[in-house]
Structure formats: structure tokens, C-alpha cells
């Protein structure tokens, strides 16, 4: 049987045509939104139980990378899917504009410092991929620098994988129209103004450059160790379901086990 994840995984070395992937599509799901919500609830329960075993086993690590255009739904995905996980053992790290100290180091320095240790799950809200996305499109480093980073990223991710980290990378793929609608909603609602900056509009004018930059990321950095998944993300309910299904498949494959008790506990009762 084909796994659901196979539908959305970018095969290593495969050409990627983002324009051919409809952000409103719902591959592998033909029921309605209510059914998606029901299934998501079950999957969240499964992920919660998985994490408890993963934490107890404390042998391996799990790193989830979330990337998207602005208003692509990274925060929503964390809220709807990953809050199923116990905060003890899970950490979300957001990567913004690098500080002076971070810029004084290699681009992976701040990233590596936030990778999950054994038994832990790390969720990256933006990541080292910004160093071949915004850095490339905004011209923050010369091409001679950023163009070498794809291989550097693959090598670094392979190092993490060899040390027992499972890496799962999601690109939440929204349409330009959907971004316009989401931006407009933010502008129309004073409580959402904090989520909006005029800089977002400038980035929007570079939409095609970003899509091209993402295309290279997906084509060059989807590896067997650290695959990329392209999630059609205009429909939030499908986005959440797709991410949760893929995570559940990863969880089943990892199948962590409770460690045996340190002592023989058979026949012991707690004295009154
Ligand atoms: P978000 O938009 O994800 O909610 P922020 O408002 O903190 O979070 O925005 C993060 C900003 O930091 C984005 O504009 C992003 O392009 C920028 N950024 C992230 N990593 C880098 C980097 N390595 N170099 C330059 N800018 C970066």
C-alpha cells in the first residue's frame, strides 16, 4: 500500500514544478472538512501517545522544519497539529533576522544550537533554509556564498541523521490569491495588525523570485535522510490533516518503545 506521505514527498533529485501543484487541491483525501477535523482529532491523540513513548525511550531525536511564504500558515499548523505534543520534550524555535552575534558565525551555528537532543522533538518555524531563500532573493549575500549552501545543508542534515535525528520538512504551499486574502484579513482586523508589516508587501512583489528559490530548495535538498513535503495549504483543514497524517506515519515507522524498568517491579505493592 502506498503511504499518504508518498503522495506529497519530493523524490530526491526530482525536478519540481510548484506551478503545477494546486494549493487548493487535497491529494489523498476526498471527504469533507468535518471528516478531516474528526480524523485530525484522532491523529493528534496518536501523536500525543507517540511522543510519550519517544520521550521515555530517549534514544533518538525528531526535527520538523516548517517553511512557507508569509501568511502561509506555519503558526496555524503549529497550533492545530503540534500542540498535541507535550511541551515537556518539545520545543518550537522561530528564526528571525540574525543578530550581530549570529552573523559573526557560520549560518548553521544558530540552527545547530537548537537541534533536539535524544527523546526530544524540535519544531523549526523558519530555519536554515532562510539562508537560501530571503538571503538569495533579497541579495543579503553574494551568489558565490548562498549557492554553496545547498550542499552544505545536505551534508549537515546527513550529519544529524547519522546521529539519530529523523528530519521531516514541510513547505506549506499557498497561492498568491490566498496570501492576498489572508493579508487583507489581517489589515481589516485591528487585533491582527501586529502580524502585518509594510515589509510583507515588498516581499509579496518578489513572489516569483521566492517561488523560484523554493523550487531550488525542494529540488536540491530533498534527500532520503531529510525529505521535503509540499503541502497544498490554501485549505487550512487539509494542510493540518496532511501534516498530521505524515507525522503519524513517521511516528509509526519510528515505533519507540518504553524502556524496561531498572529494577524488578513484579509483585511490589505500595505500603499504606
Ligand atoms: P514570522 O514572519 O515567521 O512570523 P518574524 O516576524 O520574526 O516571524 O519574521 C522573521 C523574519 O526574519 C522574516 O522576514 C525572515 O525572512 C527573516 N529571516 C529569517 N532568517 C533570516 C536570515 N537567515 N537572514 C535574513 N533574514 C532572515
Amino acid at each position: 500500500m502506498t503511504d499518504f506521505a508518498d503522495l506529497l514527498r519530493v523524490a530526491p533529485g526530482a525536478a519540481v514544478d510548484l506551478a503545477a501543484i494546486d494549493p487548493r487541491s487535497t491529494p489523498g483525501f476526498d471527504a469533507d472538512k468535518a471528516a478531516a477535523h474528526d480524523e485530525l482529532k484522532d491523529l493528534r491523540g496518536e501523536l500525543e501517545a507517540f511522543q510519550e513513548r519517544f520521550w521515555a525511550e530517549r534514544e533518538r531525536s525528531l526535527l520538523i522544519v516548517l517553511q512557507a511564504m508569509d501568511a502561509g500558515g506555519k503558526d496555524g499548523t503549529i497550533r492545530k497539529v503540534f500542540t498535541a505534543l507535550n511541551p515537556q520534550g518539545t520545543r518550537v524555535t522561530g528564526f528571525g533576522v540574525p543578530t550581530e552575534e549570529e552573523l559573526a558565525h557560520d549560518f548553521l551555528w544558530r540552527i545547530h544550537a537548537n537541534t533536539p537532543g535524544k527523546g526530544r522533538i524540535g519544531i523549526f518555524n523558519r530555519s536554515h533554509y532562510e539562508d537560501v531563500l530571503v538571503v538569495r532573493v533579497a541579495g543579503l549575500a553574494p551568489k558565490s556564498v548562498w549557492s554553496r549552501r545547498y550542499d552544505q545543508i545536505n551534508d549537515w542534515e546527513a550529519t544529524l541523521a547519522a546521529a539519530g535525528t529523523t528530519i521531516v520538512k514541510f513547505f506549506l504551499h499557498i497561492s498568491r490569491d490566498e496570501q492576498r486574502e489572508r493579508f487583507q484579513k489581517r489589515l481589516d482586523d485591528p487585533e491582527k495588525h501586529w502580524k502585518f508589516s509594510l515589509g510583507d508587501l515588498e516581499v509579496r512583489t518578489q513572489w516569483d523570485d521566492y517561488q523560484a528559490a523554493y523550487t531550488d530548495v525542494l529540488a536540491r535538498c530533498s534527500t532520503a535522510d531529510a525529505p521535503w513535503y509540499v503541502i497544498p495549504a490554501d485549505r487550512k483543514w487539509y494542510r493540518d490533516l496532511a501534516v498530521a497524517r505524515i507525522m503519524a506515519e513517521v511516528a509509526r515507522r519510528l515505533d519507540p518503545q518504553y524502556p524496561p524498568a531498572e529494577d524488578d517491579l513484579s509483585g511490589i505493592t505500595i505500603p499504606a
Side-chain angles (χ1 to χ4, degrees):
M1 199 186 91
T2 322
D3 284 343
F4 175 79
D6 294 337
L7 293 174
L8 304 181
R9 186 185 302 112
V10 178
V16 176
D17 181 5
L18 278 178
I21 303 173
D22 180 0
R24 288 191 70 74
S25 62
T26 60
F29 189 77
D30 50 19
D32 61 5
K33 187 171 162 177
H37 281 147
D38 288 347
E39 190 182 329
L40 177 62
K41 205 167 152 225
D42 292 344
L43 290 169
R44 282 175 52 102
E46 188 178 341
L47 289 174
E48 190 183 352
F50 154 76
Q51 193 216 355
E52 191 171 315
R53 285 187 290 133
F54 195 68
W55 173 250
E57 183 193 76
R58 242 169 275 200
E59 292 284 341
R60 297 169 287 177
S61 311
L62 179 55
L63 174 63
I64 298 145
V65 171
L66 290 172
Q67 285 286 159
M69 298 293 287
D70 291 328
K74 293 182 281 96
D75 295 351
T77 304
I78 290 169
R79 213 167 42 240
K80 301 287 245 331
V81 180
F82 294 109
T83 47
L85 306 174
N86 187 338
Q88 176 153 297
T90 309
R91 188 158 59 119
V92 180
T93 310
F95 293 97
V97 178
T99 62
E100 210 176 312
E101 189 187 19
E102 287 167 351
L103 282 174
H105 292 79
D106 70 88
F107 76 104
L108 291 169
W109 179 73
R110 65 174 183 161
I111 312 290
H112 207 156
N114 285 288
T115 52
K118 289 193 192 325
R120 294 182 184 271
I121 301 177
I123 300 162
F124 283 179
N125 184 345
R126 300 187 191 267
S127 65
H128 43 305
Y129 284 97
E130 292 293 327
D131 291 281
V132 285
L133 292 163
V134 64
V135 167
R136 164 176 164 171
V137 175
L140 303 178
K143 183 171 182 184
S144 57
V145 170
W146 59 254
S147 63
R148 299 174 63 190
R149 288 182 173 165
Y150 302 95
D151 289 341
Q152 291 165 351
I153 286 172
N154 289 341
D155 288 347
W156 178 75
E157 290 181 352
T159 305
L160 292 190
T165 301
T166 295
I167 305 171
V168 187
K169 302 180 296 199
F170 295 108
F171 171 54
L172 309 179
H173 177 44
I174 58 163
S175 63
R176 202 160 186 265
D177 269 355
E178 181 69 20
Q179 189 193 53
R180 180 181 50 75
E181 271 178 38
R182 292 185 189 179
F183 275 172
Q184 193 61 52
K185 269 199 192 136
R186 290 181 182 182
L187 286 171
D188 294 345
D189 178 355
E191 290 195 353
K192 294 210 166 122
H193 283 182
W194 66 275
K195 283 192 174 191
F196 194 84
S197 76
L198 289 176
D200 292 344
L201 288 181
E202 194 190 330
V203 171
R204 183 170 160 78
T205 65
Q206 299 165 318
W207 181 273
D208 291 342
D209 294 340
Y210 274 99
Q211 296 290 300
Y214 268 111
T215 298
D216 283 352
V217 160
L218 298 168
R220 297 191 60 180
C221 298
S222 194
T223 59
D225 280 338
W228 271 106
Y229 295 90
V230 177
I231 309 293
D234 274 10
R235 298 175 201 258
K236 294 176 182 172
W237 55 265
Y238 176 79
R239 171 199 77 198
D240 297 336
L241 179 69
V243 168
R245 275 189 179 180
I246 291 168
M247 288 312 306
E249 287 181 3
V250 168
R252 287 171 211 151
R253 207 178 63 235
L254 286 172
D255 192 23
Q257 304 295 319
Y258 288 115
E262 285 177 19
D263 304 303
D264 181 5
L265 305 180
S266 53
I268 298 181
T269 43
I270 309 293

